[in-house]
Amino acid sequence: MEDRGDKVLRVLARLRLTTVYVLLLTATAAWLASQSHAGRARFVRHNSSNVHHMEVGKWWTLFTSGLVVDGVPAWAGIAAVAAVLGLAEWRWGALRAGAVFAFGHLGATLLTEGAMWFMITTGIPGALSRARDVGISYGLVATGSCLLALGPKPLRRYGLPALAAVLAVAWAVDQELADAGHLIALALGVLASRRPWLRKRALRAPADPAPGRVHHTAAR
């Protein structure tokens, strides 16, 4: 009989992308927890993917901003990533799951910051060029909505509208740019679900493998 530890290693091997990302998020959260309040604020400020950083060429903040769990306890955000990205990688493979997550994170960030830039250049009040903009939520929402859109009919019919309703209420109540970004990320996730390279893989994804077996499928 296969040892339980071997089974865990096999699962982690299949979920390489999720494992690496969770470890990075955990390491970043642990390091931030060891810093002073001023140190944490400085780190977030330098890694926010806002209009100012885009204008001065700090495009790398588009990626480093996704290493910070913000707005919720770190353990909750990391657990959500493990569950949502892990399920996506299990069903679609690392390449497709990573592409959807990155599409949501980068796409929603660029669109929201593009809207902020437009507000600044046209003189619309309320826009901030150095806004705090870090977190995992855009990629998480896009991946989650994509999973729902490609899931069983009840999830498509009820789960996806329910998620959209929750995000719309949050935006209506808070009126924050990030809340609008979550709605954009949801739309991007649904858009990704319509792509043949993902849809075909999702439709032929096998059910959970039998105990002790892991089916390895090459992404293409």
Side-chain angles (χ1 to χ4, degrees), residues 16-191:
R16 290 186 295 271
L17 172 65
T18 303
T19 300
V20 170
Y21 192 33
V22 164
L23 289 175
L24 286 173
L25 290 174
T26 302
T28 304
W31 180 80
L32 285 173
S34 69
Q35 302 300 301
S36 65
H37 177 76
R40 291 193 295 272
R42 183 167 56 251
F43 181 85
V44 169
R45 184 171 65 252
H46 286 303
N47 288 279
S48 290
S49 48
N50 52 36
V51 174
H52 170 70
H53 283 155
M54 299 301 102
E55 289 180 334
V56 299
K58 293 184 177 180
W59 290 90
W60 46 266
T61 58
L62 287 170
F63 301 96
T64 57
S65 62
L67 296 177
V68 181
V69 178
D70 192 43
V72 296
W75 64 265
I78 294 171
V81 167
V84 175
L85 183 59
L87 179 58
E89 186 176 4
W90 187 270
R91 291 188 55 79
W92 310 331
L95 179 61
R96 291 174 176 83
V100 172
F101 192 96
F103 179 55
H105 175 74
L106 297 176
T109 298
L110 290 172
L111 288 171
T112 53
E113 292 305 328
M116 188 74 79
W117 174 84
F118 177 80
M119 292 173 65
I120 293 171
T121 56
T122 56
I124 298 176
L128 298 173
S129 66
R130 299 173 185 261
R132 175 192 180 106
D133 189 6
V134 296
I136 57 175
S137 58
Y138 291 166
L140 200 59
V141 169
T143 306
S145 65
C146 192
L147 281 167
L148 291 173
L150 290 173
K153 190 174 181 179
L155 285 179
R156 297 196 304 272
R157 177 173 293 182
Y158 304 110
L160 195 58
L163 177 60
V166 169
L167 296 177
V169 169
W171 177 78
V173 171
D174 296 331
Q175 293 289 307
E176 295 287 345
L177 186 66
D179 295 315
H182 292 150
L183 289 170
I184 294 173
L186 182 143
L188 293 175
V190 174
L191 178 63

Side-chain angles (χ1 to χ4, degrees), residues 192-205:
S193 74
R194 308 304 301 174
R195 298 297 86 197
W197 60 271
L198 179 61
R199 193 170 187 82
K200 290 179 181 178
R201 175 67 183 89
L203 290 176
R204 68 172 185 267

